[in-house]
Amino acid sequence: MEAERVCVGVRGGDDDDDDVYGQGVAPAELAYRAGLDALNNVEGTIHEYELKWMLGKRPLVHNPHQLAIDYTPEVAQQMITAFTTPVLPTGGDALTLEAYLPCLAWHGVGTRWRQFRTWAQQHALTARKEQATDDAAPAAGQDPTELFRAFANHLGRVRSYRALALTEAQYATVTELNSIVPTGRLRVGSDTIDAIVREEGVKKILYARLYIGLGLLDYDPSLSLHDDPETAVSIASGYMELPTRRVYLMEMNVPKIEACGCKVQDVQSDPTRRWFKHNKIWYDAFLERTERYMLFEIPFYSQRCTKLTRFEDASQVLQFLRPYQLLQAQRKQLRPQ
């Protein structure tokens, strides 16, 4: 993960507020965060069936109205301006990045729009240089699908975890569906879930997930992945009902672009609050690895699940969590804020 300032646009506001997202933070601290967030990076590119699924959920069409629903009108205007204002590279003619705008329709790009703009500028500049030195080189690509694929491969893949308290029959349903679905999909169909994402917008859905007790949505269209398996197990253990409902820990290999590019810090009410506690374990809100927000579902379970662990009783869960509990307490002591 690049150690750069990334104000993802989930939280509105002016650029003057960006210090809470990295500007003014000591380089050593930024390197620490980037290093932890990169621990679970894995080799591999995006597959065509993954690309087809994502673009089936949200076609790459530039829609200012939808961007305003997803990220607030103010942030949507910032995003549009950033890609329509010509870029003046050193010693060259102005670059235009408007061809990249349709990619913002996907939440895994829109929540990373500043990082995406930095990448798009370099991508367009590289294509221009290649064309200038090689007449046979293709012109800078304008196809949103190709630009999306290139950025997805730039982000890469990550090993992350989902844990659920399930009966054997419920786990069998996961394998039969070949998908991990959000709680909302247990009550309504995928068309309704798609409509909720479209009508409520990304920002509200992520806020409603973090503060689920507020009951802001009738049907939750979101899920979470966690790069630390202990985080996933700690949350799921609260729903374990022995002897029938045990915790299933699923190790997943997913494209980063399928997840929102934000951290708990970007969603919570107080972006300066670094640490929060759940089930006697401290968690760092400033790290993307703490929680990766997903929308719609996590499809292709059989192709992506690389390891499955089932916890048979509470003592096994506690034994698994104890070292992590101590590690997180040490990390909080070293970096209280």
Side-chain angles (χ1 to χ4, degrees):
M1 181 179 179
E2 298 172 350
E4 65 178 48
R5 178 170 61 89
V6 183
C7 179
V8 299
V10 172
R11 183 180 306 283
D14 299 326
D15 287 347
D16 291 340
D17 297 327
D18 284 357
D19 62 307
V20 299
Y21 301 101
Q23 184 173 319
V25 178
E29 172 63 21
L30 287 178
Y32 166 80
R33 299 181 196 176
L36 283 180
D37 279 332
L39 283 176
N40 289 42
N41 290 351
V42 293
E43 296 292 330
T45 59
I46 187 171
H47 300 295
E48 286 303 306
Y49 61 81
E50 294 173 317
L51 178 70
K52 183 178 179 180
W53 177 82
M54 284 185 271
L55 303 194
K57 287 295 182 183
R58 274 205 163 183
L60 300 181
V61 177
H62 176 46
N63 185 339
H65 176 68
Q66 186 63 54
L67 288 179
I69 294 174
D70 283 336
Y71 306 110
T72 75
E74 295 77 15
V75 172
Q77 188 56 56
Q78 290 179 30
M79 298 164 78
I80 293 169
T81 300
F83 286 85
T84 55
T85 302
V87 178
L88 295 172
T90 304
D93 297 330
L95 284 172
T96 176
L97 302 177
E98 290 190 41
Y100 296 80
L101 272 170
C103 297
L104 297 174
W106 181 252
H107 58 270
V109 180
T111 52
R112 295 180 172 92
W113 70 270
R114 293 180 187 272
Q115 181 184 4
F116 179 57
R117 185 185 181 278
T118 299
W119 173 87
Q121 180 175 333
Q122 186 59 49
H123 182 263
L125 186 61
T126 299
R128 172 191 283 183
K129 289 179 178 178
E130 290 176 352
Q131 191 178 21
T133 57
D134 183 359
D135 293 337
Q142 302 292 305
D143 178 13
T145 300
E146 293 306 313
L147 299 175
F148 183 89
R149 178 187 287 109
F151 185 60
N153 286 326
H154 167 75
L155 292 176
R157 305 183 71 90
V158 65
R159 181 180 65 255
S160 203
Y161 297 85
R162 179 74 175 164
L164 293 167
L166 303 170
T167 64
E168 291 184 1
Q170 288 170 333
Y171 178 71
T173 300
V174 172
T175 60
E176 289 167 9
L177 291 175
N178 201 28
S179 177
I180 306 173
V181 300
T183 57
R185 272 283 301 278
L186 302 177
R187 300 166 61 191
V188 296
S190 60
D191 289 346
T192 300
I193 292 298
D194 295 353
I196 291 172
V197 175
R198 185 170 60 248
E199 295 165 8
E200 300 292 349
V202 174
K203 177 180 178 179
K204 179 178 178 180
I205 291 170
L206 299 190
Y207 187 86
R209 177 163 192 81
L210 186 61
Y211 298 103
I212 196 166
L214 298 178
L216 299 177
L217 298 173
D218 292 332
Y219 307 108
D220 187 0
S222 67
L223 311 90
S224 296
L225 287 175
H226 310 275
D227 289 5
D228 290 324
E230 295 89 348
T231 306
V233 170
S234 176
I235 295 170
S237 65
Y239 302 92
M240 185 168 58
E241 296 177 0
L242 299 173
T244 58
R245 195 186 302 272
R246 296 176 173 85
V247 171
Y248 288 74
L249 174 64
M250 296 158 265
E251 181 181 282
M252 307 294 291
N253 179 330
V254 298
K256 285 187 180 180
I257 203 168
E258 202 168 303
C260 293
C262 51
K263 306 172 289 295
V264 173
Q265 175 196 20
D266 304 317
V267 181
Q268 65 187 5
S269 299
D270 180 6
T272 65
R273 180 190 174 197
R274 178 163 189 167
W275 294 93
F276 63 97
K277 201 172 192 179
H278 173 76
N279 199 14
K280 300 181 180 179
I281 298 176
W282 287 104
Y283 295 99
D284 191 341
F286 289 8
L287 297 178
E288 192 172 341
R289 68 180 293 110
T290 298
E291 184 165 20
R292 296 185 185 272
Y293 299 96
M294 318 287 283
L295 299 181
F296 305 113
E297 61 182 304
I298 304 174
F300 315 117
Y301 175 73
S302 63
Q303 294 93 324
R304 293 171 163 185
C305 183
T306 55
K307 184 179 179 181
L308 176 68
T309 304
R310 192 175 81 168
F311 292 82
E312 302 296 335
D313 55 46
S315 63
Q316 190 179 1
V317 169
L318 291 174
Q319 184 179 7
F320 180 73
L321 294 180
R322 181 58 178 164
Y324 184 71
Q325 180 185 22
L326 297 175
L327 174 63
Q328 288 298 94
Q330 292 170 357
R331 285 172 170 169
K332 180 180 182 294
Q333 187 175 19
L334 290 173
R335 286 176 166 79
Q337 186 61 29

